[in-house]
Amino acid sequence: MSLHHYLRLKRLWAVRVQLMTGGDGLTVKAAALGNGFWHLGDFSRSYRLVFGEAPSETLARGRRPLHLAIDA
């Protein structure tokens, strides 16, 4: 694995953790930009390839109350 690929994956995982644990004020755009992704289309495409879902889906799931997340 190249260094570039490793660093990109590390940044994608950082965004995922933020989206899964973020509060109501967090947006996908803010999380992506905060982790160095400037082209949001490329970011979204890469995120979907790595995690199998859109970043907005991760954020929506992260905002659900705990009892709903366990039942799903």
Side-chain angles (χ1 to χ4, degrees):
M1 176 184 305
S2 71
L3 178 60
H4 175 76
H5 186 70
Y6 169 78
L7 292 175
R8 186 173 184 83
L9 283 174
K10 185 173 176 161
R11 290 186 298 135
L12 282 169
W13 271 102
V15 172
R16 184 170 178 83
V17 168
Q18 283 183 339
L19 295 177
M20 291 172 64
T21 60
D24 288 334
L26 182 67
T27 64
V28 171
K29 181 179 179 179
L33 292 175
N35 284 282
F37 291 99
W38 303 112
H39 192 287
L40 299 180
D42 286 345
F43 159 74
S44 183
R45 190 171 27 261
S46 295
Y47 190 96
R48 185 179 292 274
L49 283 171
V50 172
F51 301 114
E53 65 183 6
S56 58
E57 293 174 293
T58 305
L59 181 60
R61 194 175 57 253
R63 288 183 175 163
R64 287 193 307 199
L66 183 58
H67 69 280
L68 290 178
I70 292 172
D71 293 339

